[in-house]
């Protein structure tokens, strides 16, 4: 240890240039930095270290305050402060001096100052404002070192608000003659793109120049940007496929300088970046994939397995081969490479092989079959990481035939694991598999009991929520519902008769709810009605039960208060907890006592007939709309959720570097449009419109009066003097206190554990073979596993039955809980027993806010095809007759088959009169007899995705099912989720309502179509399509006054200058807003002079407001919305729409 310390001390002076004398190679014995490091290494406890650092920080504070401190001493002070910060102690007294060192010192001192600043400060630190002018000055310096240091600081710590101040100068550095400057400028722009993509949209052409730069370093830096761009929108960059392939071929061929080699491997990180880009470009695109087959094969061949970095290249190469359009020869070589990884004795390579196998098993489940015994051995591996990777692989290949064995292996791992992350992750997987592939009710309940026992209170709350919702909603069979609930009640009664101290609180809450709801199903309930009540009362009195659990128990006791025995027990419990210090417990006890004393009330609330009635729940709380409207009219502030209040508090501390050109001009001679929005005038007649000129004097002269810009300035003075600023309170939900993981229940072992658990025996190989046959049964017979790890094509055992039809609106929800269960859900619980609305009716009328010109809303500019017979005219290809068949007078008439008609003629009648998009081919697929196409139909309350399943063969397709997966979209089936058969040369249509959950520029919707050519032999084909934000935008019709109130209540805003559209007979503002209205489905609220206001909303109702003002040759746009992602994403589409106009 002493040798390492001495080497470190001897290297520090030359690294940090603490001594300007030549040959200064060691810290002197009296150096304060050397004494600090030696003192730290000699300490034996954390307490002694804190005392030493506290003393050191006091000395630093005294030295930086001294006027006699020289610059050389200041450098050593900075290094000591850096060392203290690296140990985790805050040296805030040195922050301002680090900034001064970066501002005033020589090149060496600037280097140390920038280094200290980058380590001390983060993006939200207010000290960064003092560094802006320094960075601007250094960026314009003729000293290359200063420019490099400034670019490095910009790319590390500059926040989003400061980008406009330095973006033009950083752009200029892309053409700098020195390659190191160009490379750092590209990296700075990459950081800008990550935190504010809309602010660098206009320089994408310069990114292409950086990709073609003659210096390999600049080209490599540009690949970081292109990886993000291609990942978000691969269709826009397919023209660069040839360039990426050429670059990768040159890299693999060793054409780059030797400086880029790592352990004789040519530019390995550059190869990995290019392989990832090619994977995105070639996904589901045969033409693009054919361009890259040769270079992928060459990369796979040249990456010899002799070093760790080549293993990383091989792994990325295998992933790319299985992502692009498949080619048999490449797949075979990639499979061999995966086999070498899996069979390797090295743990790292084995883990890499398991990860690769997990990734590719979705497309080729048979690939896992040759490695069955190796996977079985990995289940018993000593390395826990290998075990977790193996379980993840088994999760991907689970089906209805092997679910019991795989779930038992997961539960066995959970019983031995003490890692919280592994526990939370695996219990979620087990719960998902249990609900999807459960063979019977008993196994399902026993498995979920094990999940609750092993997961404890650390599991996600969705797991018990979904379990209770599944029990409450029921399935298609009433008898199956009763059996499942009865089995759960019997198991919980048996459990409460034993020891309950080790059960998690979450599990006890589930038990209480189930017994309170369904204990009446027990056959012995009539003979011994107080049995369940006594068990719950015993649980209520135990010390380990938390206050939250006691609330659940009291709610359950309230539901069971029906028989004379139960009434006596309930009265006794109510008297004991009537004086509880817990307010909720006291309320529950009071309710229990009233029910036990009032027979009439008990008969109405706990009637047996009401147990299966659906309770309508108004989740939107519409009955409070009148009160809310009155409060808002009286000046009350709109409700803001806790997360929005936190963001506002953080936003108040953020720095605003908005250029003066976008500030708010005040004209005393004319009234701004915003004064009309709020139906009031401010004392200074301020306008909240935007301008683009930075010359306030010029604006003052044009406006005829002095211009005062007060945007963002807090009002702290009033008529009575200084206004006291009230701190904002942020309301947060207090999570339940964590509890220790209890020991698992031995009584809830799956029946599989009694037969499949491996035990020492004379024939371990035979036992492993039997286990392998159980684990891999059904694998390879069908493609039931998707790439994201969710099994899609296999039927789900538990299908929740639809709720009552005939609902007139989508605001009310049907709950399957009985009327008497509503009292048990109001205890502030973390488990929500109310059910979500299902099967909401989709409105059948067209968009209610068409453009002013009368044309329906369409995706592309121009009018829709003419309407004929109440529907949109069919788009018949050239050379076809009206019937869709080729017109040849020499041939005999052929009867028209359904497939011979244009696909659009199969559009459902209720959708034929609505605006729609053009047809899009989803997937060519390996089966030429199956074709998928889609079109979007625009409705006011939903985007309807219509999928046409075309059977081009003579045989019949059976059990055609489509499944969609997306994290940002909510897809619900309207009709045609499962088509039993599609006859030869016919078309089936499926309708899906799609809603965007979070605003995004565009989203990829992945899907899987499963079908059977021969009954019993299922097939599956993946596909995907991209949906844009503009597909989910709808006009928001509001008055000018309503617009003003909404504007003042929204906090997330974006400002940007856009180009103006010029038209012969229209003003530029009107022409521009009309273009945005027609292309993006916006509503123009009002236009007054040079200002206009526009409103729109997402399908879920989140609005976005646009305030536009014309100045010179541009349009200053200010967007505001209650959600942060909406303005940025909408601004991108506004720019794109105007650029295409």
């Amino acid at each position: 240890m002493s040798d390492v310390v001495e080497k470190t001390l001897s290297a520090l002076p030359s690294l940090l240039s603490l001594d300007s004398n030549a040959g200064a190679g060691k810290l002197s014995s009296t150096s304060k930095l050397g004494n600090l490091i030696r003192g730290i290494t000699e300490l034996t406890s954390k307490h002694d270290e804190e005392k030493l650092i506290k003393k050191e920080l006091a000395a630093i504070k005294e030295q930086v305050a001294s006027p006699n401190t020289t610059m050389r001493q200041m450098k050593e002070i900075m290094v000591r402060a850096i060392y203290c910060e690296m140990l985790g102690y805050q040296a805030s007294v040195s922050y301002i001096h680090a900034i001064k060192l970066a501002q005033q010192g020589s090149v060496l001192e600037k280097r140390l100052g920038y280094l200290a600043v980058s380590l001390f400060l983060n993006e939200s630190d207010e000290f960064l404002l003092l560094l802006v002018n320094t960075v601007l000055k250094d960026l314009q310096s003729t000293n290359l070192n200063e420019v490099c240091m400034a670019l490095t600081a910009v790319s590390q710590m500059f926040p989003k608000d400061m980008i406009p101040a330095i973006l033009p100068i950083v752009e200029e550095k892309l053409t700098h003659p020195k390659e190191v400057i160009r490379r750092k400028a590209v990296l700075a722009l990459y950081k800008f793109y990550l935190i504010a993509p809309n602010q660098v949209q206009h320089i994408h052409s310069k990114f292409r120049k950086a990709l073609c730069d003659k210096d390999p370093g600049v080209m490599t830096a540009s690949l970081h940007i292109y990886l993000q761009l291609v990942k978000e929108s691969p269709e826009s960059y397919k023209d660069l496929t040839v360039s990426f392939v050429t670059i990768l071929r040159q890299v693999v061929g060793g054409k780059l300088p030797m400086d880029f080699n790592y352990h004789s491997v040519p530019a390995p990180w550059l190869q990995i970046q290019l392989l990832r880009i090619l994977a995105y470009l070639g996904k589901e695109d045969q033409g693009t994939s054919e361009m890259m087959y040769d270079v992928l094969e060459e990369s796979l061949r040249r990456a010899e397995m002799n070093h760790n970095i080549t293993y990383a290249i091989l792994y990325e190469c295998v992933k790319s081969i299985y992502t692009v359009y498949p080619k048999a020869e490449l797949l075979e070589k990639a499979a061999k490479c995966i086999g070498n990884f899996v069979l390797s004795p090295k743990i790292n390579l084995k883990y890499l092989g398991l990860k690769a196998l997990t990734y590719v098993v979705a497309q080729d489940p048979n690939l896992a079959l040759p490695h069955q015994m190796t996977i079985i051995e990995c289940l018993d591996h000593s390395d826990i990481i290998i075990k977790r990777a193996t379980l993840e692989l088994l999760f991907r290949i689970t089906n209805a035939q092997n679910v019991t064995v795989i779930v038992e292996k997961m539960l066995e791992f959970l019983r031995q694991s003490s890692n919280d992350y592994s526990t939370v992750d695996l219990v979620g997987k087990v719960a998902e598999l249990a609900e999807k592939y459960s063979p019977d009710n008993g196994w399902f309940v026993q498995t979920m009991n094990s999940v609750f026992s092993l997961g404890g209170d650390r599991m996600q709350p969705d797991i018990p929520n979904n379990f209770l919702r599944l029990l409450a909603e029921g399935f298609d069979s009433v008898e199956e519902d009763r059996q499942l609930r009865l089995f759960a009640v019997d198991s919980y009664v048996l459990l409460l008769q034993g020891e309950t101290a080790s059960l998690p609180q979450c599990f006890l809450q589930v038990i209480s709810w189930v017994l309170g709801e369904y204990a009446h199903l027990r056959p012995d309930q009539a003979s011994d009605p107080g049995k369940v009540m006594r068990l719950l009362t015993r649980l209520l009195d135990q010390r380990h039960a938390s206050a939250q659990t006691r609330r659940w128990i009291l709610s359950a006791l309230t539901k069971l208060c029906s028989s004379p025995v139960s009434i006596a027990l309930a009265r006794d419990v109510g008297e004991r907890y009537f004086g509880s210090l817990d307010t909720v417990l006291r309320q529950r006890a009071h309710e229990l006592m009233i029910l036990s004393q009032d027979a009439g009330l008990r008969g109405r609330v706990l009637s047996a007939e009401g147990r299966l009635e659906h309770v309508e729940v108004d989740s939107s709380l519409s009955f409070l709309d009148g009160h809310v409207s009155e409060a808002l009219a009286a000046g009350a502030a709109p409700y803001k959720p806790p997360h929005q209040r936190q963001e506002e508090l953080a936003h108040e501390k953020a720095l605003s570097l908005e250029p003066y050109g976008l500030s708010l001009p005040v004209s005393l001679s004319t009234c701004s449009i915003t004064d009309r929005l709020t139906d009031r005038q401010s004392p200074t007649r301020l306008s909240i419109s935007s301008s683009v000129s930075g010359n306030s004097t010029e604006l003052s002269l044009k406006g005829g009066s002095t211009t005062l810009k007060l945007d963002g300035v807090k009002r702290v003075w009033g008529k009575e003097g200084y206004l006291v600023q009230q701190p904002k309170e942020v309301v947060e939900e207090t999570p339940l206190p964590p509890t220790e993981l209890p020991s698992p229940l031995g009584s809830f072992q799956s029946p599989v554990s009694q037969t499949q658990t491996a035990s020492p025996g004379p024939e371990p190989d035979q036992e492993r073979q039997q286990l392998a046959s159980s684990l891999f049964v059904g694998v390879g017979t069908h493609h039931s596993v998707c790439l994201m790890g969710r099994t899609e094509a296999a039927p789900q055992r538990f299908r929740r039955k639809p709720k009552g039809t005939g609902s007139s609106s989508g605001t009310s929800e049907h709950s399957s809980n009985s009327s008497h269960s509503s009292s048990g859900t109001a205890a502030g619980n973390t488990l929500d027993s109310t059910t979500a609305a299902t099967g909401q009716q989709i409105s059948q009328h067209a968009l209610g806010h068409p453009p002013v010109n009368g044309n329906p809303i369409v995706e592309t500019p121009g009018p829709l095809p003419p309407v004929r017979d109440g529907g949109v005219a069919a788009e018949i290809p050239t050379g076809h007759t009206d019937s869709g068949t080729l017109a040849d007078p020499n041939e005999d008439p052929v009867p028209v088959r359904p497939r011979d008609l244009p696909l659009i003629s199969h559009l459902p009648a209720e959708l034929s009169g609505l605006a729609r998009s053009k047809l899009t081919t989803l997937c060519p697929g390996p089966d030429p007899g199956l074709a998928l196409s889609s079109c979007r139909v625009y409705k006011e309350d939903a985007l309807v995705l219509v999928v046409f399943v075309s059977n081009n063969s003579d045989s019949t397709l059976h059990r055609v099912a489509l499944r969609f997966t997306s994290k940002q979209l909510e897809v619900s089936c309207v009709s045609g989720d499962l088509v039993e058969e599609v006859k030869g040369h016919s078309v089936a249509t499926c309708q899906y309502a799609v809603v965007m959950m979070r605003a995004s520029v565009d989203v990829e919707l992945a899907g899987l179509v499963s079908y059977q050519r021969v009954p019993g032999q299922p097939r599956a084909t993946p596909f995907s399509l991209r949906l844009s934000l503009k597909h989910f935008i709808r006009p928001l019709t509001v008055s000018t006054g309503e617009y003003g109130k909404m504007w003042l209540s929204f906090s997330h805003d974006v400002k940007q200058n856009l180009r103006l559209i010029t038209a012969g007979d229209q003003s530029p503002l009107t022409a521009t807003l009309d273009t945005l209205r027609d292309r993006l489905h916006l509503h123009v609220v009002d236009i007054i002079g040079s200002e206009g206001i526009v409103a729109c909303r997402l399908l879920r109702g989140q609005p976005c407001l646009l305030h536009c003002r014309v100045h010179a040759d541009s349009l200053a746009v200010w967007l505001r919305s209650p959600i942060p992602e909406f303005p940025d994403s909408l601004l991108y589409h506004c720019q794109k729409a105007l650029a295409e106009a």
Side-chain angles (χ1 to χ4, degrees), residues 960-1030:
V960 180
L962 283 83
R963 298 290 183 270
F964 293 94
T965 56
S966 177
K967 294 182 179 179
Q968 295 177 281
L969 299 177
E970 180 182 285
V971 183
S972 58
C973 178
V974 179
S975 66
D977 187 34
L978 177 64
V979 182
E980 290 297 335
E981 65 176 23
V982 182
K983 296 186 178 298
H985 300 284
S986 62
V987 180
T989 59
C990 306
Q991 299 181 45
Y992 298 88
V994 187
V995 176
M996 180 175 283
M997 305 300 295
R998 292 186 56 186
S1000 179
V1001 174
D1002 54 10
V1003 181
E1004 181 176 4
L1005 179 61
L1008 185 78
V1009 55
S1010 60
Y1011 60 97
Q1012 298 179 10
R1013 285 266 178 214
V1014 179
Q1017 298 182 9
R1019 301 184 185 181
T1021 300
F1023 62 89
S1024 66
L1025 69 156
R1026 298 200 71 84
L1027 296 176
S1028 175
L1029 173 70
K1030 63 182 180 180

Side-chain angles (χ1 to χ4, degrees), residues 9-185:
L9 296 180
S10 62
L12 280 175
S14 58
L15 177 64
L16 301 173
S17 302
L18 293 178
D19 199 336
S20 58
N21 298 329
K26 291 186 178 181
L27 290 173
S28 63
S29 58
T30 59
S31 170
K32 294 182 179 180
L33 176 61
N35 293 336
L36 174 62
I37 297 177
R38 290 190 183 92
I40 291 293
T41 56
E42 293 173 357
L43 296 178
T44 58
S45 67
K46 183 68 175 178
H47 179 69
D48 294 339
E49 178 186 301
E50 292 177 355
K51 291 175 59 178
L52 180 60
I53 295 297
K54 187 176 181 180
K55 180 179 179 181
E56 182 66 24
L57 292 177
I60 290 176
K61 182 177 181 180
E62 181 180 355
Q63 290 178 12
V64 297
S66 174
N68 300 325
T69 303
T70 63
M71 193 61 71
R72 183 177 181 277
Q73 292 173 336
M74 185 62 71
K75 289 196 298 182
E76 186 185 32
I77 292 172
M78 284 299 110
V79 177
R80 289 155 54 197
I82 291 174
Y83 191 80
C84 294
E85 287 270 345
M86 291 171 59
L87 292 177
Y89 301 92
Q90 190 175 17
S92 57
V93 68
S94 59
Y95 292 178
I96 187 64
H97 298 281
I99 295 177
K100 290 181 180 179
L101 203 62
Q103 291 174 339
Q104 304 171 358
S106 62
V107 174
L108 293 178
E109 292 160 355
K110 272 181 173 293
R111 182 178 71 169
L112 184 57
Y114 272 120
L115 173 63
V117 168
S118 63
L119 293 175
F120 291 161
L121 306 182
N122 54 46
E123 293 181 354
S124 61
D125 204 306
E126 296 181 355
F127 277 115
L128 285 180
L129 184 62
L130 303 176
L131 201 64
V132 174
N133 287 334
T134 302
V135 171
L136 289 174
K137 183 184 68 175
D138 290 341
L139 285 174
Q140 299 172 351
S141 173
T142 57
N143 190 318
L144 295 181
N145 291 325
E146 293 181 353
V147 178
C148 288
M149 288 186 289
L151 287 173
T152 303
V154 163
S155 61
Q156 285 185 352
M157 56 186 177
F158 262 48
K160 177 180 179 179
D161 298 334
M162 293 185 180
I163 292 178
I166 57 176
L167 181 59
I169 303 178
V170 176
E171 281 186 58
E172 295 176 1
K173 300 305 175 185
L174 292 175
T175 58
H176 198 278
K178 288 294 183 180
E179 59 275 2
V180 63
I181 303 297
R182 299 198 301 272
R183 182 172 70 248
K184 288 185 175 292

Side-chain angles (χ1 to χ4, degrees), residues 305-419:
M305 299 181 64
N306 55 7
H307 194 271
N308 284 340
I309 193 62
T310 60
Y311 303 149
I313 297 175
L314 285 173
Y315 176 71
E316 290 296 336
C317 196
V318 168
K319 287 181 63 177
S320 300
I321 290 173
Y322 274 91
T323 303
V324 302
Y325 195 84
K327 182 182 179 182
E329 295 81 357
L330 276 178
L331 294 177
E332 183 179 353
K333 294 180 180 180
K336 182 179 179 181
C337 180
I338 294 177
N340 293 334
F341 278 143
V342 174
L343 297 175
S344 173
K346 298 181 179 179
I347 294 180
N348 290 337
L349 294 187
K350 189 180 291 293
Y351 174 78
L352 204 62
L354 291 172
K355 294 294 289 184
L357 198 58
T358 303
Y359 180 82
V360 305
V361 76
Q363 300 186 16
D364 188 6
N366 293 315
L367 194 59
L369 298 179
H371 309 293
Q372 296 180 40
M373 300 310 300
T374 304
I375 295 173
I376 297 302
E377 293 176 358
C378 292
L379 283 174
D380 300 326
H381 203 279
S382 58
D383 194 314
I384 190 174
I385 303 299
I386 298 294
K387 286 185 178 180
R388 281 173 48 184
T390 307
L391 291 175
E392 178 68 25
L393 172 61
L394 295 178
F395 173 73
R396 298 293 181 95
I397 64 174
T398 304
N399 53 56
Q401 296 174 281
N402 60 8
V403 62
T404 55
V405 185
I406 291 179
V407 166
E408 177 57 31
K409 287 297 177 183
M410 291 182 175
L411 294 177
E412 182 180 342
F413 177 84
L414 284 172
R415 296 184 185 103
Q416 301 172 358
S417 174
S418 58
N419 182 272

Side-chain angles (χ1 to χ4, degrees), residues 166 560 609 627:
I166 57 176
L560 296 174
E609 293 78 8
H627 172 74

